[in-house]
Amino acid sequence: MNHHRRDAGSASVELAVLTPMLLALLVLAIAAGRVVSADNALEHATTAAARSASLARTPTAAHTAAADTGTHAMAEQHLACAGTRLHVDTSMFNRAGQPGHVTVTLSCAVALSDLTGLPGLPGAIALEARFASPVDPYRTRS
């Protein structure tokens, strides 16, 4: 019976010690899930933008198509990024009769600042995706 009295308060002490660690683990899991989900959405948007740009007839139209498609795809995926940047490389675009490609690079910063409770967690994580889509070598281009 005396042994039972010494263990009487140990459960509440264990709970008090483990609760902050479990909450930190939960916040870390949410942050990791947010980054992975954002990375997948960014890859999808980049692929769609590059494909759309490769179907354009002029470099200017390729830039416009990539920007419109990338923005639409990111909104469709509910991707909220801070500081989204789009770069469209059409240097291989105007070589009729030769294989070419359009490369689209999308980058953004995924905000983690709203996840408080975990010291050392950055306010945002920068993500970047790049995709090259082939251009038909035998179609007319300007």
Side-chain angles (χ1 to χ4, degrees), residues 63-73 86:
H63 282 272
T64 303
D68 291 347
T69 304
T71 302
H72 179 71
L86 171 77

Side-chain angles (χ1 to χ4, degrees), residues 55-80:
L55 297 174
R57 300 259 181 220
T58 65
T60 303
H63 282 272
T64 303
D68 291 347
T69 304
T71 302
H72 179 71
M74 287 183 359
E76 192 177 76
Q77 297 285 324
H78 305 291
L79 179 60

Side-chain angles (χ1 to χ4, degrees), residues 12-31:
S12 59
V13 171
E14 289 172 4
L15 184 64
V17 169
L18 290 178
T19 299
M21 289 191 298
L22 291 176
L23 288 176
L25 187 61
L26 178 65
V27 168
L28 191 61
I30 291 170

